[in-house]
Amino acid sequence: MVIVKKIIAENNKKRKLLTKENQAYFDKLLVYVRAHVLLSERQSEEVLMEMLDHLLIAEEEGKTAVDVFGPNPKAYADDIVDALPKEKKGSLMTFGVEILCDLMGWFIIIGAVGRYFTKSDQIYLYSAIINVVALVAIGGGLLYLILQQLKKGAFEEKMSTSAIIKAGLVGTGTFGLFMGILYFTDKLGPLVNITWFAQLGAGSALLLISYLMKRDRTKRY
């Protein structure tokens, strides 16, 4: 049995064996399929590997990706996505917790570093809770938008000016929203004594949990 991580590595390695034209075509399919994170990761990568093997054999016969998969990669990719099974609910929940621990871990560590320089051992409880909830909500929304853009842009030759402007506005707006929440929810609730070192330890623990969950996820059969 081959673990998911090895399948991904093998797919990325085999891509380099394709001609430039065929690799450009296949990369569109790859990005589009991988952007559908709700699909079974293992089976998605296995299908991509089968496609790669088929295309490499076709290349030896002088055929192109268009000859093999057709002139409409978007339609072909949609057929693949429709045929692939969804990831198990338990796996999706685990992935969500993994991302959550990662986001919160970095947020807490950054806060700990800031408190180290300000020499403060107190935090406002309600403010901290609101900030964490905001981080998770905004981070989740931003991740969703990124995945949607990957799906939409997978079959575009280059990113349009309007898409670049939109991405810039979304990024700026997201950052502004989060900073606004930090500003307007400052000093809410009772003061709680937590040293910067303890906060640093908590953040590091969350990052460790995220890392272990990711390692376990990529080793699933």
Side-chain angles (χ1 to χ4, degrees), residues 106-180:
W106 283 114
F107 179 72
I108 291 173
I109 286 176
I110 292 172
V113 172
R115 293 178 60 227
Y116 169 77
F117 288 105
T118 59
K119 306 300 180 182
S120 173
D121 285 338
Q122 292 183 322
I123 63 172
Y124 288 88
L125 182 61
Y126 296 166
S127 295
I129 293 174
I130 292 172
N131 292 341
V132 169
V133 172
L135 174 70
V136 173
I138 293 174
L142 191 58
L143 177 61
Y144 172 80
L145 291 176
I146 291 172
L147 291 173
Q148 291 301 111
Q149 183 57 45
L150 283 175
K151 295 174 187 177
K152 183 179 178 180
F155 301 99
E156 297 178 356
E157 293 302 323
K158 63 179 182 179
M159 196 172 184
S160 64
T161 302
S162 61
I164 294 175
I165 294 174
K166 182 178 179 180
L169 291 175
V170 169
T172 303
T174 301
F175 179 76
L177 175 62
F178 185 64
M179 294 305 295

Side-chain angles (χ1 to χ4, degrees), residues 188-209:
L188 295 179
L191 281 170
V192 179
N193 289 317
I194 300 178
T195 66
W196 71 270
F197 188 76
Q199 187 174 336
L200 182 65
S204 299
L206 287 172
L207 290 183
L208 177 60
I209 292 172

Side-chain angles (χ1 to χ4, degrees), residues 6-93:
K6 287 185 177 180
I7 300 176
I8 294 173
E10 187 68 18
N11 281 340
N12 292 336
K13 182 179 179 180
K14 286 184 177 181
R15 283 175 51 248
K16 299 177 182 179
L17 301 177
L18 296 170
T19 64
K20 186 176 181 180
E21 180 185 15
N22 287 344
Q23 184 174 335
Y25 185 106
F26 181 79
D27 282 352
K28 296 176 182 179
L29 301 177
L30 183 144
V31 170
Y32 190 75
V33 172
R34 285 182 176 175
H36 287 75
V37 295
L38 298 183
L39 298 177
S40 169
E41 185 179 21
R42 178 189 171 186
Q43 294 192 47
S44 295
E45 293 299 328
E46 287 177 340
V47 167
L48 288 171
M49 178 175 284
E50 291 175 3
M51 292 165 56
L52 260 174
D53 290 338
H54 187 45
L55 183 54
L56 286 168
I57 293 174
E59 274 193 356
E60 295 177 357
E61 300 172 356
K63 296 180 181 179
T64 66
V66 174
D67 297 327
V68 177
F69 303 124
N72 190 339
K74 173 68 164 59
Y76 187 81
D78 282 332
D79 289 339
I80 295 172
V81 169
D82 290 339
L84 284 169
K86 301 290 185 182
E87 191 67 83
K88 295 179 181 179
K89 291 183 178 180
S91 298
L92 290 175
M93 290 181 63

